[in-house]
Amino acid sequence: MEFVRQITRLPRAYDPELGQDCLDRMPGLSGDLAELIRGAAGSSPYLKELAERQKDWLVPALEDADAALAALFDDVAAKREDLPKPDELKPVLRRAKQRVALIAGLADLAGVWPLERVTGALSEFAALACDVAIKAEIAQLVRRGKLPGQGEDDIAEAAGLVVLAMGKMGAGELNYSSDIDLIVLFDEIRYDADDFHDARQGLVRATRNMCATLSDRTGDGYVFRTDLRLRPDPSVTPVCMSMAAAETYYESLGRTWERAAYIKANPVAGDLKAGARFIKTLRPFIWRRHLDFAAIQDAHDMRLRIRQTKGLGGAITVPGHDMKLGRGGIREIEFFTQTRQLIAGGRDESLRLRGTVPGLEALAARNWLPSDISNRLIDYYRTHREVEHRIQMVHDAQTHKVPVNPEEMARVACLMDKDSAALIAELAERLSAVHELTEGFFAPDTNGTPQEDPPPEIDISVCRRWPSYPALRSERARRIFERLRPELLNRLSRTSEPQEALLALDGFLAGLPAGVQLFSLFEANPQLIDLLVDIVGTSPALAGYLSRNASVFDAVIGGDFFADWPGEEALTKGAINALAREPDYESKLDAARRWAKEWRFRIGVHHLRGLISADEAGAQYADLADSVIKALFPVVVTQFAEKHGAPPGRGAAVLGMGSLGARALNAASDLDLIVIYDPEDQESSDGKRPLAARPYYARLTQALITALTAPMAEGRLYEVDMRLRPSGNQGPVATSWTSFRDYQQNEAWVWEHLALTRARVITESGTGLGQEIEAFRAKLLGQPQEREKVLREVAEMRDRLMAAKSPDGPWDAKTGPGRMQDIELVAQAGALLAGEPVGGVGKGLRAAATAGWLSEADAGALGAVYDRLWAVRTAARLLTGGPLDSARIGEGGATFLCRTAKAEDLESLQDGLVASYSETAARIDAALEGVSCDEE
């Protein structure tokens, strides 16, 4: 499209005579194009000089600026095909830079290009210039034999050297007279160890020469000033260093400002693939797995150091104000954006964007920033950058300061077609607005009120031991905690039992291995303190879990922590996605643990706060276990197959048994599993180390168990119990489909068929086997049963269970006559007698009534008792890791227990439980009356 038709604004000439003098050299221009040249040249000596130098190119270029720029880039890029000597390249790049600066400046002043197009054109040319310059140097070294092992074919990849653009260039945001921040690295694996020193020496020389090609001032000016000081420890490291050395530095010594810098890092020249691989290896350094609110303090400290070093700490006075580094300036918006990206980008990949405007838009889209604030900052950012460009256009000076000299200020105002006074007033308003929007995020007012004494309800002697705890040993952790302490103690004092809550908090703090990250999280999100107080005051078990896994608090900040349960299908997709992001097997296992911990914590909090019932909690814990197994089993199979080949035959199916099969788990449940495989007629696998079918599946099953149970950096997922497989602990850990069918049809005990009533296929590695197993189970359990035999064996099994373990007091809702295990056995028997392969206790009891074994009244009564016992059991497992002691659970725990069990108080609840045990045992005794345990 024609340039002139896109003009939306025009500069005004500060010196009309100079503007006209420049225009007279281009007699073919008229109308708005003439006004553009007159205004630009009459206010900017630099643009006047460029326009006069490049007049023969400029006039036709103004017909279509985009096409002219594309042709210019093509001409420069063509130099890569026939690389000239560096001295021959210098004038080519300088003339090209003049033209890019000229057309970009005029398109900017005329409003033909938006800010992003202007900065993008400058950044794209900088990348192209770096690429041509470094390859010209590499070509010279290769042809002189100075890079061991590298030939002509390696020049296209710069012999493994990559130029990383940092800062504004990396983000495609170069300002008009910007220098370029570069980090230059080389891929050391391209060189033999014996050649490393010579190769590095040659690549260091190439880097220095590239910078000279770009930076040296000649009669044609310069291309870009280069700055290599962002590399690791620049005072002692070479200007081009190996990727391995850089990675080691960042992993061991990298600081928050370097993490922020790498948000914008972009491979732009040389070996781009090697550069991309390097940045990928740095992802764990840049993007922390957990919400990193400690980055706020780091960024704030950096801002203060900049202000102190540059003398920019005073109030906003527009003349002389630094538009980049001063209060309310461009850097404030960039820091604000990058810090928020660092906080959440480890968990949310959509925030990993290089540009400032895209970063702000993504933060708003993901609810990390209110949309109105995002939109205002984007507007301020764009206008700040335009002012910055006008300041630099006047003399091509790398300055960001608003001119103090009235004449220079007038030039800047004319380039914007504004009055100087109006522009100053506008800038003052915008700078102040940015400062107000960003300052509170970095430096909330923590000194407005003096430190208060602890509330009288708080025992100060408990607080005095906190400085000795591991989480408070660092000075930084202590400083943050001291700011939190008054609010924390005030909220504790408002609980029903402040001293009890204080002691619970004390236990939580004592168990924390570190404090900076968590305390920073609380400081930035004070609403989490209420949740912490709730938890420590109610559930010591969950508080202890939090001490060991404080990162699960991240999930609360995510936005949907208190949303409705997503369901097993959506949960499984989330688990699969979480594992897919990890690069290797061990990382995937750790990712599964992190992911499951957050969801387990969510279920516990929802249950604790009464947002879900005990039944809903049980179903959600089961959904979580299903999702973990469905996501993890394919990963285990893939890892195992790399060594031993794909699973022979139709693969394997994983069955959930017991409480998992019945979809009723609690916070501390282990998983009862069976693995069934079908090798068909395939005797062994086909891999690097093939295995016969039976040991293949045995070892694959063991690998799955290890994946679930192994303690790793992120803990373990579950304990696993395989004893419900055929032949129990004595049989093979995985069972063939043929053996399973034969055993169940011909050898299985009644109790094993009882267990099958709660079995279900969770996942499989192939297709079809799971459906066959379910069909077989339904057919097997649907066969007519000999009632006397079934009830006799049920009675015998009941006796064995009661003899094997006595209940741990009245609060043990699971073990003992008339308790959960007893009712579950009756429900399984009812399902077997009715020929219904159902899983839940309620369904089994109704089936027992349908079969005529139990009366409707007895089935209903047993179901009601079971529901209450289940509520007590699930609450108890959330409150404590061991047997429940009502004298030790505290006021909050007692309230939770009574609420979930629908009781007035603990005393009446305990009395009701004891009475129900006796009544329920009597009902079951009566149901089994007349059955002889001695008959064969």
Side-chain angles (χ1 to χ4, degrees):
M1 185 175 178
E2 280 188 289
F3 187 97
V4 69
R5 295 174 62 188
Q6 300 177 70
I7 292 175
T8 60
R9 62 194 182 197
L10 289 168
R12 191 173 71 250
Y14 171 77
D15 187 334
E17 290 185 10
L18 288 177
Q20 186 62 44
D21 178 63
C22 181
L23 180 61
D24 289 343
R25 299 169 189 265
M26 291 172 261
L29 298 181
S30 62
D32 282 347
L33 288 179
E35 289 302 316
L36 173 62
I37 298 300
R38 184 183 293 112
S43 295
S44 166
Y46 174 63
L47 288 177
K48 180 178 185 296
E49 179 189 359
L50 286 185
E52 291 173 350
R53 278 192 177 198
Q54 299 293 337
K55 62 181 185 297
D56 293 337
W57 176 84
L58 177 60
V59 173
L62 284 175
E63 294 178 9
D64 187 336
D66 292 298
L69 188 71
L72 187 153
F73 283 2
D74 288 343
D75 289 344
V76 175
K79 299 299 180 184
R80 288 183 293 210
E81 303 302 319
D82 184 19
L83 287 166
K85 293 181 179 179
D87 286 344
E88 297 171 358
L89 185 61
K90 285 183 178 181
V92 172
L93 293 179
R94 278 153 180 75
R95 284 193 297 272
K97 170 62 186 300
Q98 291 174 13
R99 293 173 178 179
V100 172
L102 179 58
I103 199 67
L106 294 175
D108 188 0
L109 291 172
V112 173
W113 287 353
L115 172 69
E116 287 78 8
R117 178 71 174 109
V118 174
T119 59
L122 295 166
S123 303
E124 187 179 349
F125 178 71
L128 181 58
C130 287
D131 193 51
V132 174
I134 193 61
K135 286 175 179 174
E137 294 296 335
I138 295 296
Q140 293 298 307
L141 291 174
V142 167
R143 289 161 187 166
R144 289 160 50 201
K146 297 297 185 180
L147 288 178
Q150 305 299 298
E152 289 286 334
D153 292 341
D154 297 298
I155 295 173
E157 292 182 341
L161 178 148
V162 64
V163 178
L164 301 181
M166 310 296 288
K168 285 185 169 61
M169 180 179 172
E173 298 173 341
L174 272 186
N175 58 48
Y176 196 72
S177 296
S178 182
D179 57 6
I180 55 177
D181 295 305
L182 308 175
I183 293 178
V184 184
L185 306 170
F186 71 95
D187 185 2
E188 70 284 347
I189 64 174
R190 291 179 76 113
Y191 299 92
D192 292 338
D194 293 342
D195 296 329
F196 177 85
H197 179 75
D198 290 340
R200 185 179 67 176
Q201 189 175 33
L203 295 172
V204 165
R205 186 182 305 114
T207 301
R208 293 190 186 281
N209 291 343
M210 173 195 72
C211 292
T213 297
L214 298 174
S215 302
D216 286 353
R217 284 189 176 272
T218 70
D220 295 311
Y222 67 100
V223 188
F224 289 99
R225 293 173 293 268
T226 57
D227 190 337
L228 302 177
R229 292 174 296 173
L230 287 183
R231 70 184 184 276
D233 208 352
S235 62
V236 297
T237 55
V239 293
C240 178
M241 59 191 300
S242 72
M243 291 180 179
E247 184 180 351
T248 300
Y249 167 84
Y250 291 122
E251 287 178 349
S252 56
L253 299 172
R255 291 157 290 182
T256 300
W257 74 261
E258 289 169 307
R259 293 174 54 212
Y262 265 93
I263 292 177
K264 297 179 182 291
N266 192 10
V268 295
D271 192 341
L272 302 184
K273 290 182 180 178
R277 288 195 301 271
F278 175 74
I279 291 178
K280 186 176 181 180
T281 65
L282 288 193
R283 281 182 189 170
F285 164 68
I286 307 166
W287 307 108
R288 300 291 165 82
R289 296 186 184 278
H290 308 303
L291 295 180
D292 186 15
F293 283 92
I296 297 175
Q297 185 65 48
D298 291 334
H300 180 51
D301 292 344
M302 198 178 345
R303 293 165 71 240
L304 295 180
R305 284 195 298 272
I306 291 172
R307 288 179 183 176
Q308 184 177 11
T309 303
K310 302 288 185 180
L312 301 171
I316 295 173
T317 303
V318 174
H321 191 80
D322 194 313
M323 291 297 300
K324 177 181 178 182
L325 301 177
R327 287 177 180 263
I330 295 165
R331 184 58 56 84
E332 301 280 75
I333 301 174
E334 292 173 339
F335 271 16
F336 180 88
T337 306
Q338 289 174 297
T339 303
R340 286 184 175 271
Q341 287 176 289
L342 284 180
I343 289 169
R347 292 172 57 86
D348 189 343
E349 292 188 12
S350 70
L351 302 179
R352 300 177 188 180
L353 302 171
R354 295 186 177 102
T356 303
V357 170
L360 285 167
E361 290 172 338
L363 287 165
R366 300 292 290 174
N367 297 317
W368 288 100
L369 187 63
S371 294
D372 63 321
I373 293 179
S374 171
N375 292 335
R376 289 175 67 193
L377 287 175
I378 288 171
D379 177 57
Y380 294 145
Y381 176 77
R382 285 177 169 147
T383 54
H384 278 16
R385 291 297 307 273
E386 287 191 355
V387 173
E388 175 190 46
H389 283 185
R390 306 306 180 267
I391 293 170
Q392 294 176 347
M393 280 179 188
V394 175
H395 298 293
D396 187 31
Q398 176 60 3
T399 180
H400 309 275
K401 290 186 176 181
V402 180
V404 175
N405 183 299
E407 176 184 326
E408 295 299 300
M409 184 69 217
R411 289 181 182 276
V412 173
C414 285
L415 286 173
M416 302 186 73
D417 194 22
K418 293 179 182 289
D419 174 73
S420 292
L423 178 57
I424 289 172
E426 182 182 311
L427 288 178
E429 180 182 344
R430 289 180 173 276
L431 290 165
S432 297
V434 170
H435 180 69
E436 290 172 8
L437 285 172
T438 59
E439 189 70 13
F441 170 68
F442 290 108
D445 183 9
T446 56
N447 300 313
T449 57
Q451 186 86 318
E452 299 177 4
D453 291 331
E457 301 88 350
I458 298 299
D459 182 358
I460 194 64
S461 65
V462 175
C463 306
R464 290 195 183 105
R465 57 185 180 236
W466 289 348
S468 67
Y469 292 163
L472 286 157
R473 284 178 184 163
S474 77
E475 178 62 29
R476 184 176 181 187
R478 286 195 295 272
R479 285 200 311 269
I480 302 170
F481 187 75
E482 281 305 307
R483 297 197 293 266
L484 286 173
R485 189 170 175 266
E487 183 62 21
L488 195 56
L489 295 181
N490 278 329
R491 297 195 189 201
L492 285 173
S493 71
R494 296 197 294 267
T495 62
S496 58
E497 294 291 334
Q499 188 60 22
E500 186 179 285
L502 175 65
L503 292 174
L505 176 67
D506 179 64
F508 169 77
L509 291 174
L512 276 178
V516 169
Q517 289 288 345
L518 183 64
F519 299 156
S520 299
L521 178 70
F522 286 151
E523 187 173 37
N525 302 274
Q527 73 275 16
L528 290 183
I529 297 177
D530 283 332
L531 179 58
L532 174 65
V533 170
D534 268 2
I535 291 170
V536 300
T538 305
S539 173
L542 193 54
Y545 175 81
L546 277 180
S547 290
R548 300 186 300 274
N549 302 283
S551 62
V552 297
F553 269 118
D554 291 358
V556 185
I557 311 300
D560 56 358
F561 184 81
F562 291 105
D564 292 338
W565 185 247
E568 186 269 324
E569 183 177 348
L571 210 60
T572 299
K573 287 181 181 177
I576 291 171
N577 290 338
L579 270 59
R581 288 192 289 268
E582 301 301 323
D584 55 62
Y585 185 63
E586 186 172 336
S587 298
K588 291 178 188 293
L589 299 189
D590 262 332
R593 284 152 172 76
R594 281 193 305 277
W595 181 88
K597 280 193 294 191
E598 291 187 0
W599 283 101
R600 192 177 289 123
F601 175 61
R602 182 191 194 273
I603 298 167
V605 170
H606 280 227
H607 190 195
L608 207 61
R609 288 196 158 184
L611 301 176
I612 57 175
S613 66
D615 285 343
E616 289 171 316
Q620 290 180 13
Y621 283 124
D623 281 350
L624 178 60
D626 280 10
S627 298
V628 168
I629 294 169
K630 286 180 178 180
L632 202 54
F633 189 46
V635 172
V636 173
V637 171
T638 299
Q639 176 72 10
F640 194 79
E642 285 183 7
K643 184 183 293 184
H644 301 294
R650 290 197 294 168
V654 181
L655 276 68
M657 309 291 289
S659 298
L660 175 60
R663 298 184 185 275
L665 299 180
N666 61 55
S669 291
D670 58 8
L671 304 183
D672 293 305
L673 299 177
I674 289 178
V675 174
I676 299 173
Y677 66 92
D678 183 12
E680 295 183 306
D681 58 356
Q682 197 169 333
E683 294 183 358
S684 67
S685 64
D686 183 13
K688 290 182 289 187
R689 295 172 59 183
L691 292 171
R694 180 170 176 173
Y696 182 100
Y697 283 105
R699 290 173 62 178
L700 175 62
T701 301
Q702 192 58 57
L704 173 63
I705 295 170
T706 300
L708 291 167
T709 62
M712 301 183 67
E714 296 286 348
R716 69 175 79 233
L717 280 165
Y718 294 98
E719 295 290 350
V720 172
D721 190 338
M722 303 286 290
R723 289 176 296 176
L724 290 179
R725 66 185 186 272
S727 303
N729 284 339
Q730 305 304 313
V733 70
T735 306
S736 75
W737 176 218
T738 302
S739 298
F740 180 81
R741 290 199 313 267
D742 291 346
Y743 180 86
Q744 293 292 344
Q745 289 172 327
N746 303 311
E747 301 179 43
W749 296 80
V750 169
W751 74 263
E752 291 176 295
H753 285 176
L754 293 175
L756 275 186
T757 64
R758 300 208 292 176
R760 62 186 176 88
V761 174
I762 294 176
T763 189
E764 59 184 314
S765 63
T767 56
L769 179 58
Q771 288 182 333
E772 281 194 29
I773 293 171
E774 285 291 0
F776 170 76
R777 186 180 76 90
K779 182 178 179 181
L780 178 72
L781 297 179
Q783 294 174 354
Q785 301 290 332
E786 188 179 334
R787 176 177 293 192
E788 285 299 315
K789 178 183 178 183
V790 169
L791 295 182
R792 182 172 64 250
E793 294 205 23
V794 166
E796 290 176 353
M797 187 174 180
R798 184 173 182 241
D799 290 343
R800 287 196 299 272
L801 288 172
M802 302 312 160
K805 186 177 181 183
S806 300
D808 290 319
W811 294 103
D812 183 353
K814 180 180 179 181
T815 307
R819 308 189 192 208
M820 287 173 58
Q821 203 172 56
D822 210 7
I823 301 172
E824 287 168 355
L825 186 60
V826 171
Q828 292 171 54
L832 186 60
L833 291 174
E836 296 185 16
V838 293
V841 169
K843 292 180 180 178
L845 292 173
R846 289 191 292 273
T850 301
W853 174 40
L854 294 181
S855 68
E856 293 286 349
D858 281 346
L862 290 177
V865 170
Y866 186 85
D867 288 344
R868 188 175 221 197
L869 296 182
W870 172 253
V872 171
R873 172 73 174 172
T874 53
R877 299 307 282 166
L878 193 58
L879 290 174
T880 176
L884 183 66
D885 182 349
S886 60
R888 297 174 61 88
I889 61 173
E891 184 70 24
T895 300
F896 167 60
L897 185 59
C898 291
R899 184 184 71 233
T900 194
K902 299 178 181 177
E904 292 293 326
D905 53 51
L906 283 183
E907 184 178 358
S908 64
L909 177 57
Q910 180 173 331
D911 291 343
L913 289 175
V914 171
S916 73
Y917 297 153
S918 300
E919 293 170 7
T920 302
R923 287 183 188 273
I924 297 174
D925 288 342
L928 294 172
E929 187 176 1
V931 175
S932 171
C933 294
D934 297 322
E935 292 181 27
E936 296 295 331

